[in-house]
């Protein structure tokens, strides 16, 4: 079964109050549709980085996010993940405040996961993917596809 890393934006959107912003509401709907109808087709994974991020902020919202990811297998910390995340931060010019995105990428690469599911298209978008793919190819490493739930469902159809 294909494997997916569930990045923090997935539980965040799925468990937040319905948005009045049409774009955010559409993302929430796509995320929930994927979760309800498609997730069983994949092996899902998270990391401690996801748990840490989901734990932040409003305690009620954090509890909803943590309950959403409860039971998903956790990929353990690994020195290779830390080293690769540091390399990715420089390579992809990710600001320090968003360095966690590099750890998410590194987890997926080191674990050999097929997809990273995320709505974080700012730091994990098309330009990032192109640089990541090129770097990983040169260094003989696997590159997961970085997709939104909507894009994954369209791709699978």
């Amino acid at each position: 079964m294909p494997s997916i890393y569930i990045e923090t934006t997935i539980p965040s959107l799925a468990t937040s109050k319905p948005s009045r912003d049409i774009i955010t509401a559409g993302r929430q709907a796509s995320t929930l549709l994927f979760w309800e109808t498609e997730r069983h087709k994949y092996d899902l994974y998270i990391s401690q980085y996801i748990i840490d991020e989901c734990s932040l902020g409003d305690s009620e919202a954090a509890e909803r996010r943590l309950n959403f990811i409860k039971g998903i297998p956790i990929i353990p910390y690994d020195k290779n993940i830390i080293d690769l995340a540091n390399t990715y931060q420089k390579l992809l010019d990710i600001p320090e405040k968003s360095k966690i995105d590099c750890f998410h990428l590194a987890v997926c690469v080191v674990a050999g996961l097929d997809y990273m599911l995320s709505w974080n298209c700012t730091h994990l978008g098309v330009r990032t993917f192109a640089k990541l793919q090129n770097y990983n190819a040169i260094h003989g490493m696997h590159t997961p596809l970085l997709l939104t739930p909507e894009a994954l469902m369209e791709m699978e159809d």
Side-chain angles (χ1 to χ4, degrees), residues 6-7 10-11 15 35 46-47 50-52 54 64-74:
I6 303 296
E7 191 265 342
I10 302 305
T15 62
W35 204 256
I46 59 171
S47 67
I50 299 298
I51 295 168
D52 294 347
C54 284
R64 287 192 306 270
R65 290 187 297 268
L66 291 169
N67 282 335
F68 185 84
I69 61 173
K70 191 175 185 175
I72 298 175
I74 301 168

Side-chain angles (χ1 to χ4, degrees), residues 36-149:
E36 292 169 6
T37 65
E38 302 295 316
R39 73 181 161 123
H40 65 279
K41 298 177 183 176
Y42 303 92
D43 290 327
L44 306 179
Y45 296 94
I46 59 171
S47 67
Q48 186 63 45
Y49 304 110
I50 299 298
I51 295 168
D52 294 347
E53 281 189 299
C54 284
S55 299
L56 298 174
D58 176 79
S59 60
E60 288 180 19
E63 186 177 347
R64 287 192 306 270
R65 290 187 297 268
L66 291 169
N67 282 335
F68 185 84
I69 61 173
K70 191 175 185 175
I72 298 175
I74 301 168
I75 295 171
Y77 283 120
D78 181 306
K79 183 184 180 327
N80 294 326
I81 291 170
I82 295 167
D83 293 343
L84 191 55
N86 290 326
T87 298
Y88 285 162
Q89 184 182 16
K90 292 177 190 126
L91 172 76
L92 304 171
D93 198 28
I94 303 287
E96 187 65 31
K97 68 179 181 144
S98 301
K99 186 175 182 177
I100 192 73
D101 297 337
C102 300
F103 285 91
H104 296 314
L105 287 171
V107 166
C108 291
V109 170
V110 170
L113 302 180
D114 298 307
Y115 304 110
M116 180 161 80
L117 206 60
S118 175
W119 283 107
N120 181 353
C121 299
T122 302
H123 296 115
L124 304 177
V126 175
R127 282 190 299 173
T128 299
F129 183 73
K131 286 182 185 177
L132 178 71
Q133 193 171 33
N134 186 48
Y135 178 86
N136 286 357
I138 289 168
H139 293 87
M141 294 187 290
H142 164 77
T143 303
L145 288 177
L146 311 178
L147 298 170
T148 64

Side-chain angles (χ1 to χ4, degrees), residues 22-43:
I22 193 165
I23 293 172
T24 302
R27 290 177 177 174
Q28 288 174 315
S30 293
T31 301
L32 290 170
L33 179 64
F34 170 82
W35 204 256
E36 292 169 6
T37 65
E38 302 295 316
R39 73 181 161 123
H40 65 279
K41 298 177 183 176
Y42 303 92
D43 290 327

